[in-house]
Amino acid sequence: MALNNITREYPFASHHLARSLADIVPAAEKNPAFANSYDWHSSVHMHYLLASLLETEVAQEAGWRERAIEVLASHLSEENMLAEAAFLHENPSWERPYGWAWAVELNRVLNANDLAELRALGANTQVLADTVFDLSATWLPKVAEPVRHGVHSNTAFGLRRILIGARAADRHDVVDVIAGAARRFYSEDAAWNFSQERSGHDFLSPGLCEADLMAEAFTEDELATWLPGFLSELSPESPALTPVKVLDPTDGHQSHLYGLGLSVAASVMRLAPRLEVIAEDTGHDELMAQAKGMLTRVESLIAPGLEAAVSDEYVSSHWLATFAWETYAQLSHRAHAGLEPL
């Protein structure tokens, strides 16, 4: 699915500011690497997905392996990455922060890859990640309030990924800027309303994205105080932990709801163990029950999105597989960490 997506040029949603008629050109002229998989950000994270999959045991003998490496090498060439980085510099609010976050994730997974061919591509994509780091450091001090809804411009979702990537790249300046912004935006938040946060085209939970970010930005002591209070209104029965039925799978906005189930499940699997540790340290039985109850919702949240991720409906399949992969990665992490199976 990932390989098919990053080699499919149309349909393509080109979201950019046209300053003159000269800007009305085929997408590949502006974005030579990522003018595929329906839109720029989906292309970036499908490249990330393919690079991640190439490290799996299944990929070693897969018939698509050599083709995947060849396509990634072609798309992520030094020339293409310089062009993509230049476009971000020239359009500093474009794809902010969602596309930025996936560009950093792509670079991170390439740099850490077991395959030498892919680590070499990490050297090429470094200029793109560095551009995002620089833009983030310039942007955040000027942001008065975060965006708190469940689609691409959600501030917390993007900042968490950029923060993790900045740590991996030893960009301590960017880590400090993001951590400071996160504290300024969210440290006073408490008792998030998980009953009313959803809207009809969300693919992210604003509350869980915020909690995910603060789990990275806070110290353990700070998180132990903040997280239980912030999640105090979340229970297994909360609408936020219940999958929403997609009535029209051909509606690209409504199909976001498939991704909502997947992203919520991944967040729950990251956050519930943090709550369990806090509950153990404090002897808080109700908090432990809350954490374990949240985990009982994972399977039902995942199921619709897994099916849609490999469907023939392109408004879903051009992006959902990445979220399915990240959910699987959380399940795998639980298994490797010896945590209770779900």
Side-chain angles (χ1 to χ4, degrees):
M1 186 63 71
L3 186 55
N4 287 342
N5 276 323
I6 67 171
T7 54
R8 178 171 176 171
E9 295 182 1
Y10 294 102
F12 188 80
S14 185
H15 307 291
H16 73 287
L17 176 66
R19 298 180 178 86
S20 72
L21 189 60
D23 287 333
I24 310 300
V25 297
E29 292 189 21
K30 303 185 297 292
N31 303 111
F34 304 125
N36 46 67
S37 196
Y38 195 84
D39 49 31
W40 193 90
H41 51 258
S42 300
S43 176
V44 174
H45 72 64
M46 278 289 167
H47 283 77
Y48 153 85
L49 172 60
L50 191 57
S52 300
L53 293 172
L54 279 165
E55 286 196 289
T56 64
E57 184 177 344
V58 171
Q60 304 313 307
E61 304 298 329
W64 48 264
R65 183 179 186 277
E66 295 305 318
R67 173 65 173 152
I69 294 173
E70 176 187 325
V71 170
L72 287 174
S74 173
H75 288 192
L76 306 180
S77 67
E78 181 180 12
E79 180 182 7
N80 285 355
M81 291 301 96
L82 288 169
E84 295 284 2
F87 190 82
L88 285 187
H89 268 300
E90 292 162 8
N91 300 273
S93 65
W94 186 71
E95 289 285 355
R96 184 183 71 192
Y98 184 77
W100 289 7
W102 286 115
V104 169
E105 283 280 74
L106 171 61
N107 178 246
R108 183 182 62 80
V109 79
L110 289 170
N111 284 338
N113 211 281
D114 289 338
L115 301 179
E117 303 99 315
L118 296 192
R119 290 197 302 277
L121 299 181
N124 295 345
T125 59
Q126 192 64 52
V127 66
L128 189 61
D130 286 339
T131 298
V132 170
F133 293 147
D134 293 342
L135 289 173
S136 298
T138 301
W139 166 58
L140 283 171
K142 302 174 184 177
V143 178
E145 292 286 345
V147 175
R148 301 174 182 268
H149 57 50
V151 290
H152 306 83
S153 54
N154 180 283
T155 305
F157 180 88
L159 289 190
R160 175 180 173 272
R161 290 164 186 272
I162 298 170
L163 174 60
I164 291 170
R167 281 183 179 143
D170 291 326
R171 284 294 302 263
H172 303 294
D173 58 327
V174 180
V175 170
D176 290 344
V177 169
I178 294 175
R183 291 169 185 274
R184 177 164 57 89
F185 294 154
Y186 304 118
S187 62
E188 299 302 317
D189 288 0
W192 183 267
N193 184 351
F194 285 97
S195 295
Q196 297 179 340
E197 74 167 19
R198 293 190 307 192
S199 65
H201 66 180
D202 284 351
F203 63 92
L204 303 170
S205 160
L208 293 177
C209 285
E210 179 176 333
D212 258 339
L213 171 62
M214 300 313 283
E216 294 291 338
F218 271 154
T219 66
E220 288 189 13
D221 287 344
E222 289 173 323
L223 190 68
T225 299
W226 183 88
L227 188 61
F230 182 77
L231 298 181
S232 60
E233 299 300 311
L234 184 64
S235 74
E237 293 74 35
S238 295
L241 299 186
T242 304
V244 187
K245 185 174 179 58
V246 175
L247 302 180
D248 182 2
T250 68
D251 183 328
H253 290 286
Q254 192 177 149
S255 70
H256 280 179
L257 296 169
Y258 290 127
L260 179 63
L262 293 169
S263 67
V264 165
S267 288
V268 164
M269 286 188 281
R270 284 188 290 266
L271 293 168
R274 308 299 290 266
L275 285 180
E276 290 176 332
V277 170
I278 296 168
E280 288 175 357
D281 290 343
T282 59
H284 196 318
D285 293 340
E286 290 183 6
L287 188 61
M288 182 65 75
Q290 179 192 17
K292 292 187 178 299
M294 289 162 55
L295 291 168
T296 65
R297 306 302 298 154
V298 166
E299 185 175 356
S300 63
L301 286 164
I302 289 175
L306 287 181
E307 183 176 355
V310 291
S311 73
D312 293 331
E313 187 52 66
Y314 194 50
V315 295
S316 294
S317 62
H318 79 269
W319 67 282
L320 276 172
T322 303
F323 283 74
W325 165 254
E326 296 224 315
T327 307
Y328 168 78
Q330 288 303 312
L331 286 166
S332 180
H333 172 75
R334 286 187 65 83
H336 291 151
L339 297 174
E340 183 179 347
L342 302 182

